[in-house]
């Protein structure tokens, strides 16, 4: 039987949603009889692959890198699901929105910067606001919670598999 090609990614989140997925513990073995994990923060695959069946995306879109990644994921995936409240509505990541981009950058990289020589130029450019995923790409499913319960994730994966 061909397994379902599953990807997970985190944009601007705390990784808690992925920890919830890991909290399925031994049940993950059963899940991976059905799913092949083709991309995830847990794997060492550098490039988001093509022909992904389902992608679970944690975190809001708050930088140019996030935006680019979200677009790549959309282009290469059949079913995109927001995983957790940061992806759904900005949640914790969006707490910075009322302060504005400049204040956040100043606080992080100037006022509290004790790195000699600064952080360098490889820090991704922040967007003006942290945005829910569905504000920048089409999202097919939403798994709510901060983080979603492991059982919720398992049940969502099973329901999404039926749509394929
Ligand atoms: Fe972390 Fe909660 Fe956001 Fe998930 S929804 S990334 S657990 S803050």
């Amino acid at each position: 039987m061909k397994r379902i090609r599953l990807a997970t990614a985190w944009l601007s989140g705390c990784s808690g949603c992925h920890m919830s997925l890991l909290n399925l513990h031994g049940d993950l073995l059963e899940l991976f009889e059905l799913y092949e994990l083709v991309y995830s923060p847990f794997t060492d695959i550098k490039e988001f692959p093509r022909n992904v069946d389902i992608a679970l995306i944690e975190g809001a879109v708050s930088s140019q890198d996030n935006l680019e990644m979200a677009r790549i994921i959309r282009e290469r995936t059949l079913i995109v699901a927001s995983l957790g409240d940061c992806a759904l509505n900005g949640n914790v990541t969006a707490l910075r929105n009322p302060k504005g981009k400049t204040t956040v950058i100043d606080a992080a990289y100037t006022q509290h910067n004790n790195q000699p020589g600064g952080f360098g130029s490889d820090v991704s450019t922040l967007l003006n606001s942290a945005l829910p995923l569905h504000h920048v790409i089409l999202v097919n499913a939403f798994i709510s919670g901060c983080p979603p319960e492991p059982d919720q994730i398992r049940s969502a994966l099973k329901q999404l598999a039926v749509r394929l």
Side-chain angles (χ1 to χ4, degrees):
M1 186 186 70
K2 188 177 168 294
R3 287 188 296 165
I4 295 166
R5 288 169 60 78
L6 173 69
T8 78
W10 71 49
L11 303 177
S12 291
C14 75
S15 83
C17 294
H18 273 77
M19 294 308 118
S20 200
L21 174 63
L22 285 184
N23 279 341
L24 282 167
H25 299 298
D27 293 350
L28 281 172
L29 296 177
E30 186 195 319
L31 269 181
F32 287 130
E33 285 174 13
L34 270 181
Y35 297 88
E36 177 191 4
L37 192 61
V38 293
Y39 183 89
S40 143
F42 311 130
T43 64
D44 195 27
I45 301 163
K46 306 293 183 214
E47 189 184 346
F48 194 87
R50 296 185 182 278
N51 303 316
V52 172
D53 294 313
I54 299 172
L56 303 181
I57 311 304
E58 167 186 329
V61 178
S62 75
S63 68
Q64 285 295 341
D65 281 1
N66 289 168
L67 189 56
E68 194 179 314
M69 185 65 180
R71 287 174 176 156
I72 289 171
I73 290 168
R74 179 65 277 175
E75 191 187 294
R76 300 181 181 181
T77 308
L78 220 47
I79 296 176
V80 174
S82 283
L83 176 65
D85 288 348
C86 288
L88 256 79
N89 57 30
N91 193 34
V92 174
T93 315
L95 289 175
R96 64 121 162 140
N97 289 356
K99 293 285 182 194
K101 174 172 101 169
T102 313
T103 310
V104 172
I105 291 172
D106 185 47
Y109 299 120
T110 309
Q111 294 171 26
H112 304 291
N113 179 3
N114 55 8
Q115 304 292 312
F119 285 96
S121 57
D122 56 347
V123 177
S124 180
T125 307
L126 282 185
L127 302 181
N128 285 330
S129 300
L131 302 169
L133 185 60
H134 63 278
H135 283 206
V136 301
I137 60 166
L138 175 72
V139 173
N140 309 104
F142 300 88
I143 307 167
S144 64
C146 179
E149 293 295 325
D151 277 347
Q152 249 180 293
I153 301 174
R154 178 193 7 229
S155 145
L157 278 172
K158 288 190 175 163
Q159 288 175 40
L160 294 175
V162 175
R163 294 200 205 169
L164 292 169

